Amino acid sequence: MAQLIDGKLISTQIKDELKEKVAKMKAEGTEVCLAVIQVGNDPASSVYVNNKKKACEYIGINSLAYELPESTTEEELLDLIGELNERADVNGILVQLPVPKHIDEDKIIKAISPKKDVDGFHPQSVGALCIGQPGFVSCTPAGIIQLLKRSGIEIEGKECVVVGRSNIVGKPMSLLLLRENGTVTVAHSRTKDLKEICKRADILVVAIGKPKFITEEYVKEGAVVIDVGIHRNADNKLCGDVDFEAVEPHCSAITPVPGGVGPMTIAMLMNNCVESVEM
Ligand code: NDP
């Protein structure tokens, strides 16, 4: 049976380590503060924002919540970001995406100071990752590296295949695996012979957004499989981009959905908030 990579357990370990660190910082007179901005009241975004607030409370990070109406203009949002960029008591700024259509998401991402860019989406953060300089790293791929390391899975020298090339998951994931000395292939919707390419992987990371797309035909015997996808099926049950039941018997280790990659994203966001003070 494959080793189940327990994201719930590992994310709790990380949050507990951060809690200790933040308590120490507080005792030395340093507070950590995250500002979270939500525009409109998309129910999924409200759940994410609420989970972030709860994680801040658990760790001892102060959080400022800005719940702005759907009618907020781009200029108003940019003004608020400008104000928060200047505030010495705010370490991290996060704008919950997606923003309403009348606001240019790209402009918002670029407006956040790279020093407070805890989501790691600013072009300066992405550039720093690319050339191996310090900077914030996108939370989901950073969480996957932690899952691998803390489960005792070696990356160096391994054949790593990342399926998906989005700016928030696939691309930063491939750069991080490269930084850990993996040999990395990135596949996408125009890739030919996807099955053959995936079958080469010692470590297969799947972030394509298609429920149960990856079956046992894509997986080498003994591979490590990381499933980033999250979907709700007709019975309201969660599943990933990987057909877990079909793939699990062929892996040496695999992340479940739920309880795999998902919980790591918020843990790494909290980690970035603490790092923003250290930076
Ligand atoms: P995007 O839709 O932005 O990107 C999907 C990527 O998959 C694209 O690069 C696309 O290729 C590629 N792709 C799509 N279809 C195929 C195919 N048939 N074969 C090969 N490649 C394909 O998605 P995200 O990266 O944002 O998210 C991926 C999944 O991960 C989603 O289910 C999302 O909900 C989940 N997610 C989970 C998170 C968590 O915390 N656990 C965080 C973020 C995302 P191309 O570029 O050619 O179009």
Side-chain angles (χ1 to χ4, degrees):
M1 230 175 98
Q3 172 192 352
L4 213 56
I5 301 177
D6 190 341
K8 228 172 158 184
L9 182 80
I10 296 173
S11 67
T12 305
Q13 279 169 1
I14 292 175
K15 285 194 277 184
D16 285 340
E17 288 163 17
L18 290 170
K19 193 174 183 174
E20 221 171 275
K21 214 169 183 181
V22 167
K24 245 189 212 158
M25 288 163 99
K26 258 192 192 155
E28 289 162 4
T30 307
E31 301 260 338
V32 187
C33 175
L34 170 68
V36 180
I37 307 172
Q38 183 184 356
V39 186
N41 45 16
D42 171 62
S45 290
S46 300
V47 171
Y48 292 136
V49 165
N50 210 23
N51 287 343
K52 286 167 190 173
K53 275 191 230 161
K54 273 196 214 150
C56 282
E57 258 167 48
Y58 180 77
I59 293 167
I61 293 175
N62 302 326
S63 68
L64 299 174
Y66 294 89
E67 283 151 23
L68 309 181
E70 182 88 17
S71 58
T72 304
T73 64
E74 186 176 281
E75 204 184 346
E76 285 167 335
L77 181 55
L78 289 171
D79 284 347
L80 174 60
I81 293 170
E83 208 179 284
L84 294 169
N85 279 342
E86 293 302 316
R87 274 179 62 169
D89 63 324
V90 173
N91 311 101
I93 304 170
L94 182 150
V95 178
Q96 184 63 45
L97 301 177
V99 285
K101 287 199 172 63
H102 63 276
I103 297 176
D104 181 347
E105 191 171 291
D106 204 36
K107 250 194 201 169
I108 300 306
I109 290 172
K110 285 183 185 148
I112 296 171
S113 162
K115 288 186 189 143
K116 302 189 178 187
D117 174 38
V118 284
D119 254 340
F121 295 165
H122 192 285
Q124 191 171 314
S125 307
V126 179
L129 172 62
C130 203
I131 58 173
Q133 286 184 357
F136 293 109
V137 177
S138 184
C139 300
T140 304
I144 292 170
I145 296 292
Q146 285 302 314
L147 281 181
L148 293 169
K149 285 189 170 172
R150 289 173 186 245
S151 304
I153 295 162
E154 180 108 18
I155 303 170
E156 182 161 327
K158 293 287 168 65
E159 194 80 50
C160 305
V161 176
V162 179
V163 193
R165 55 172 165 181
S166 70
N167 289 341
I168 62 165
V169 187
K171 278 187 198 136
M173 187 72 248
S174 61
L175 290 167
L176 284 173
L177 289 166
L178 195 59
R179 192 162 88 177
E180 298 295 332
N181 300 316
T183 301
V184 183
T185 304
V186 184
H188 46 78
S189 69
R190 315 286 173 89
T191 296
K192 290 191 179 123
D193 303 327
L194 184 65
K195 277 185 193 164
E196 281 65 36
I197 287 170
C198 289
K199 268 208 130 131
R200 291 207 310 247
D202 300 314
I203 299 174
L204 178 64
V205 181
V206 188
I208 58 180
K210 299 220 157 93
K212 299 193 176 186
F213 183 92
I214 296 292
T215 59
E216 70 273 29
E217 292 172 357
Y218 291 77
V219 178
K220 178 168 83 176
E221 214 50 47
V224 173
V225 176
I226 305 291
D227 187 356
V228 186
I230 315 174
H231 312 276
R232 209 169 269 284
N233 70 12
D235 311 326
N236 211 27
K237 273 183 107 180
L238 290 174
C239 74
D241 288 347
V242 175
D243 183 343
F244 184 89
E245 283 73 27
V247 166
E248 187 268 344
H250 301 277
C251 307
S252 59
I254 185 166
T255 57
V257 177
V261 173
M264 295 302 290
T265 304
I266 289 192
M268 296 317 287
L269 172 70
M270 297 296 112
N271 183 66
N272 280 355
C273 291
V274 175
E275 273 190 1
S276 69
V277 179
E278 292 166 343
M279 268 186 206

Short mmCIF file of all heavy atoms in Angstrom, two decimals, residues 140 163-170 187-191 194 206-210 213 227-231 241 261-262 265, ligand 1:
data_model
loop_
_atom_site.label_atom_id
_atom_site.label_comp_id
_atom_site.label_asym_id
_atom_site.label_seq_id
_atom_site.Cartn_x
_atom_site.Cartn_y
_atom_site.Cartn_z
N THR A 140 0.87 27.35 -2.62
CA THR A 140 0.56 25.94 -2.89
C THR A 140 1.82 25.15 -3.30
O THR A 140 2.12 24.12 -2.69
CB THR A 140 -0.56 25.83 -3.95
OG1 THR A 140 -1.68 26.56 -3.46
CG2 THR A 140 -0.95 24.40 -4.23
N VAL A 163 2.30 18.50 -14.33
CA VAL A 163 1.28 18.66 -15.37
C VAL A 163 0.47 19.90 -15.03
O VAL A 163 -0.20 19.95 -13.99
CB VAL A 163 0.37 17.41 -15.48
CG1 VAL A 163 -0.45 17.50 -16.77
CG2 VAL A 163 1.18 16.13 -15.46
N GLY A 164 0.55 20.92 -15.89
CA GLY A 164 -0.08 22.22 -15.64
C GLY A 164 1.00 23.28 -15.58
O GLY A 164 2.09 23.03 -15.05
N ARG A 165 0.72 24.46 -16.18
CA ARG A 165 1.74 25.52 -16.21
C ARG A 165 1.15 26.86 -15.81
O ARG A 165 1.49 27.90 -16.36
CB ARG A 165 2.35 25.60 -17.61
CG ARG A 165 1.31 25.82 -18.70
CD ARG A 165 1.92 26.09 -20.05
NE ARG A 165 0.93 25.94 -21.09
CZ ARG A 165 1.18 26.10 -22.38
NH1 ARG A 165 2.39 26.43 -22.79
NH2 ARG A 165 0.22 25.95 -23.27
N SER A 166 0.19 26.83 -14.84
CA SER A 166 -0.40 28.10 -14.40
C SER A 166 0.62 28.91 -13.62
O SER A 166 1.60 28.36 -13.10
CB SER A 166 -1.64 27.83 -13.53
OG SER A 166 -1.24 27.29 -12.30
N ASN A 167 0.35 30.21 -13.53
CA ASN A 167 1.28 31.09 -12.80
C ASN A 167 1.29 30.81 -11.31
O ASN A 167 2.29 31.07 -10.65
CB ASN A 167 0.90 32.56 -13.03
CG ASN A 167 1.20 32.99 -14.45
OD1 ASN A 167 1.99 32.35 -15.14
ND2 ASN A 167 0.57 34.06 -14.88
N ILE A 168 0.17 30.31 -10.77
CA ILE A 168 0.15 30.13 -9.31
C ILE A 168 0.55 28.72 -8.87
O ILE A 168 0.96 28.53 -7.74
CB ILE A 168 -1.22 30.53 -8.68
CG1 ILE A 168 -2.36 29.67 -9.22
CG2 ILE A 168 -1.51 32.00 -8.88
CD1 ILE A 168 -3.60 29.80 -8.35
N VAL A 169 0.44 27.73 -9.75
CA VAL A 169 0.83 26.38 -9.35
C VAL A 169 1.95 25.80 -10.26
O VAL A 169 3.08 25.63 -9.82
CB VAL A 169 -0.37 25.39 -9.31
CG1 VAL A 169 0.09 24.06 -8.72
CG2 VAL A 169 -1.53 25.93 -8.50
N GLY A 170 1.61 25.50 -11.49
CA GLY A 170 2.53 24.74 -12.35
C GLY A 170 3.90 25.36 -12.52
O GLY A 170 4.93 24.70 -12.29
N ALA A 187 4.45 19.68 -18.37
CA ALA A 187 3.50 19.30 -19.43
C ALA A 187 2.26 20.19 -19.34
O ALA A 187 1.98 20.77 -18.29
CB ALA A 187 3.11 17.83 -19.25
N HIS A 188 1.53 20.32 -20.45
CA HIS A 188 0.36 21.20 -20.50
C HIS A 188 -0.62 20.67 -21.55
O HIS A 188 -0.41 19.57 -22.09
CB HIS A 188 0.81 22.64 -20.78
CG HIS A 188 1.81 22.73 -21.87
ND1 HIS A 188 1.46 22.65 -23.19
CD2 HIS A 188 3.16 22.81 -21.83
CE1 HIS A 188 2.55 22.71 -23.93
NE2 HIS A 188 3.61 22.80 -23.12
N SER A 189 -1.61 21.48 -21.88
CA SER A 189 -2.67 20.96 -22.76
C SER A 189 -2.20 20.70 -24.18
O SER A 189 -2.85 19.99 -24.93
CB SER A 189 -3.86 21.93 -22.77
OG SER A 189 -3.50 23.13 -23.43
N ARG A 190 -1.06 21.26 -24.59
CA ARG A 190 -0.56 21.01 -25.95
C ARG A 190 0.51 19.93 -25.97
O ARG A 190 1.12 19.67 -27.01
CB ARG A 190 0.04 22.29 -26.56
CG ARG A 190 -0.77 23.54 -26.36
CD ARG A 190 -2.00 23.54 -27.25
NE ARG A 190 -2.84 24.69 -26.93
CZ ARG A 190 -2.73 25.88 -27.49
NH1 ARG A 190 -1.83 26.08 -28.41
NH2 ARG A 190 -3.51 26.86 -27.12
N THR A 191 0.79 19.32 -24.82
CA THR A 191 1.83 18.28 -24.76
C THR A 191 1.39 17.04 -25.53
O THR A 191 0.25 16.59 -25.38
CB THR A 191 2.10 17.92 -23.27
OG1 THR A 191 2.61 19.08 -22.62
CG2 THR A 191 3.09 16.78 -23.13
N LEU A 194 1.25 12.63 -23.49
CA LEU A 194 1.23 12.96 -22.05
C LEU A 194 1.43 11.71 -21.18
O LEU A 194 2.17 11.75 -20.20
CB LEU A 194 -0.09 13.67 -21.69
CG LEU A 194 -0.20 14.16 -20.26
CD1 LEU A 194 0.83 15.24 -19.97
CD2 LEU A 194 -1.60 14.69 -19.95
N VAL A 206 0.29 16.96 -10.27
CA VAL A 206 -0.80 17.17 -11.21
C VAL A 206 -1.64 18.38 -10.80
O VAL A 206 -2.22 18.40 -9.71
CB VAL A 206 -1.70 15.91 -11.28
CG1 VAL A 206 -2.72 16.08 -12.41
CG2 VAL A 206 -0.88 14.66 -11.49
N ALA A 207 -1.68 19.40 -11.67
CA ALA A 207 -2.48 20.61 -11.40
C ALA A 207 -3.11 21.05 -12.71
O ALA A 207 -2.67 21.99 -13.34
CB ALA A 207 -1.60 21.71 -10.83
N ILE A 208 -4.16 20.31 -13.12
CA ILE A 208 -4.77 20.62 -14.42
C ILE A 208 -6.22 21.08 -14.30
O ILE A 208 -6.76 21.65 -15.22
CB ILE A 208 -4.66 19.43 -15.41
CG1 ILE A 208 -5.31 18.16 -14.86
CG2 ILE A 208 -3.23 19.16 -15.77
CD1 ILE A 208 -5.21 16.97 -15.81
N GLY A 209 -6.84 20.80 -13.15
CA GLY A 209 -8.23 21.25 -12.98
C GLY A 209 -9.24 20.37 -13.70
O GLY A 209 -10.28 20.85 -14.13
N LYS A 210 -8.95 19.06 -13.83
CA LYS A 210 -9.90 18.13 -14.46
C LYS A 210 -10.08 16.91 -13.55
O LYS A 210 -9.12 16.16 -13.33
CB LYS A 210 -9.37 17.67 -15.82
CG LYS A 210 -9.16 18.81 -16.82
CD LYS A 210 -9.59 18.39 -18.22
CE LYS A 210 -9.91 19.58 -19.06
NZ LYS A 210 -8.80 20.07 -19.85
N PHE A 213 -8.60 12.93 -13.84
CA PHE A 213 -8.02 12.83 -15.19
C PHE A 213 -6.88 11.81 -15.24
O PHE A 213 -6.73 11.07 -16.20
CB PHE A 213 -7.51 14.23 -15.60
CG PHE A 213 -6.96 14.30 -17.00
CD1 PHE A 213 -7.78 14.65 -18.06
CD2 PHE A 213 -5.62 14.04 -17.26
CE1 PHE A 213 -7.28 14.73 -19.36
CE2 PHE A 213 -5.11 14.11 -18.55
CZ PHE A 213 -5.94 14.45 -19.60
N ASP A 227 -1.41 15.43 -5.88
CA ASP A 227 -2.65 15.85 -6.56
C ASP A 227 -3.08 17.24 -6.05
O ASP A 227 -3.46 17.39 -4.89
CB ASP A 227 -3.73 14.81 -6.24
CG ASP A 227 -5.02 15.03 -7.03
OD1 ASP A 227 -5.10 16.03 -7.76
OD2 ASP A 227 -5.92 14.18 -6.89
N VAL A 228 -2.98 18.23 -6.92
CA VAL A 228 -3.30 19.61 -6.51
C VAL A 228 -4.80 19.91 -6.72
O VAL A 228 -5.37 20.76 -6.04
CB VAL A 228 -2.44 20.64 -7.29
CG1 VAL A 228 -2.67 22.05 -6.78
CG2 VAL A 228 -0.96 20.29 -7.18
N GLY A 229 -5.42 19.21 -7.63
CA GLY A 229 -6.81 19.53 -8.01
C GLY A 229 -7.81 19.41 -6.86
O GLY A 229 -7.62 18.59 -5.96
N ILE A 230 -8.82 20.25 -6.92
CA ILE A 230 -9.93 20.12 -5.96
C ILE A 230 -11.23 20.28 -6.75
O ILE A 230 -11.42 21.29 -7.43
CB ILE A 230 -9.96 21.23 -4.88
CG1 ILE A 230 -8.59 21.48 -4.28
CG2 ILE A 230 -10.97 20.88 -3.78
CD1 ILE A 230 -8.58 22.67 -3.33
N HIS A 231 -12.09 19.28 -6.63
CA HIS A 231 -13.39 19.34 -7.32
C HIS A 231 -14.45 18.75 -6.40
O HIS A 231 -14.15 17.91 -5.57
CB HIS A 231 -13.36 18.50 -8.60
CG HIS A 231 -12.16 18.77 -9.44
ND1 HIS A 231 -12.11 19.79 -10.34
CD2 HIS A 231 -10.93 18.16 -9.49
CE1 HIS A 231 -10.92 19.79 -10.91
NE2 HIS A 231 -10.19 18.82 -10.41
N ASP A 241 -7.52 15.83 -9.23
CA ASP A 241 -7.24 15.62 -10.66
C ASP A 241 -6.80 14.18 -10.92
O ASP A 241 -6.68 13.75 -12.06
CB ASP A 241 -6.10 16.55 -11.13
CG ASP A 241 -6.55 18.00 -11.21
OD1 ASP A 241 -7.76 18.26 -11.16
OD2 ASP A 241 -5.68 18.88 -11.35
N VAL A 261 -2.78 18.30 -0.40
CA VAL A 261 -2.18 19.61 -0.71
C VAL A 261 -2.99 20.76 -0.11
O VAL A 261 -2.43 21.75 0.37
CB VAL A 261 -2.08 19.78 -2.26
CG1 VAL A 261 -1.62 21.18 -2.63
CG2 VAL A 261 -1.14 18.73 -2.84
N GLY A 262 -4.32 20.63 -0.12
CA GLY A 262 -5.21 21.72 0.30
C GLY A 262 -4.80 22.43 1.58
O GLY A 262 -4.58 23.65 1.57
N THR A 265 -1.70 25.12 1.75
CA THR A 265 -1.67 26.45 1.16
C THR A 265 -1.76 27.53 2.24
O THR A 265 -0.96 28.47 2.25
CB THR A 265 -2.80 26.59 0.11
OG1 THR A 265 -2.62 25.54 -0.84
CG2 THR A 265 -2.77 27.91 -0.60
P1 NDP B 1 -5.38 26.56 -14.40
O1 NDP B 1 -6.69 26.30 -15.04
O2 NDP B 1 -4.89 27.95 -14.25
O3 NDP B 1 -4.26 25.74 -15.20
C1 NDP B 1 -4.48 24.43 -15.63
C2 NDP B 1 -3.26 23.93 -16.36
O4 NDP B 1 -3.50 22.59 -16.74
C3 NDP B 1 -2.94 24.71 -17.65
O5 NDP B 1 -1.56 24.96 -17.73
C4 NDP B 1 -3.42 23.78 -18.76
O6 NDP B 1 -2.62 23.85 -19.94
C5 NDP B 1 -3.22 22.42 -18.12
N1 NDP B 1 -4.15 21.44 -18.69
C6 NDP B 1 -5.48 21.55 -18.82
N2 NDP B 1 -5.99 20.46 -19.41
C7 NDP B 1 -4.95 19.63 -19.67
C8 NDP B 1 -4.82 18.37 -20.27
N3 NDP B 1 -5.88 17.70 -20.75
N4 NDP B 1 -3.59 17.82 -20.37
C9 NDP B 1 -2.50 18.47 -19.91
N5 NDP B 1 -2.57 19.68 -19.32
C10 NDP B 1 -3.77 20.27 -19.20
O7 NDP B 1 -5.45 25.82 -13.00
P2 NDP B 1 -4.62 26.04 -11.62
O8 NDP B 1 -3.19 25.72 -11.82
O9 NDP B 1 -5.00 27.31 -10.99
O10 NDP B 1 -5.30 24.89 -10.73
C11 NDP B 1 -5.26 23.51 -11.08
C12 NDP B 1 -6.11 22.72 -10.10
O11 NDP B 1 -5.58 22.88 -8.81
C13 NDP B 1 -7.57 23.17 -10.00
O12 NDP B 1 -8.37 22.04 -9.74
C14 NDP B 1 -7.58 24.07 -8.79
O13 NDP B 1 -8.85 24.12 -8.16
C15 NDP B 1 -6.56 23.40 -7.92
N6 NDP B 1 -5.89 24.30 -6.96
C16 NDP B 1 -5.77 23.85 -5.69
C17 NDP B 1 -5.10 24.60 -4.74
C18 NDP B 1 -4.95 24.07 -3.36
O14 NDP B 1 -4.72 24.83 -2.44
N7 NDP B 1 -5.02 22.76 -3.18
C19 NDP B 1 -4.56 25.92 -5.07
C20 NDP B 1 -4.66 26.27 -6.46
C21 NDP B 1 -5.32 25.47 -7.37
P3 NDP B 1 -2.54 25.18 -20.89
O15 NDP B 1 -1.65 26.13 -20.17
O16 NDP B 1 -1.97 24.66 -22.14
O17 NDP B 1 -3.95 25.68 -21.00
#
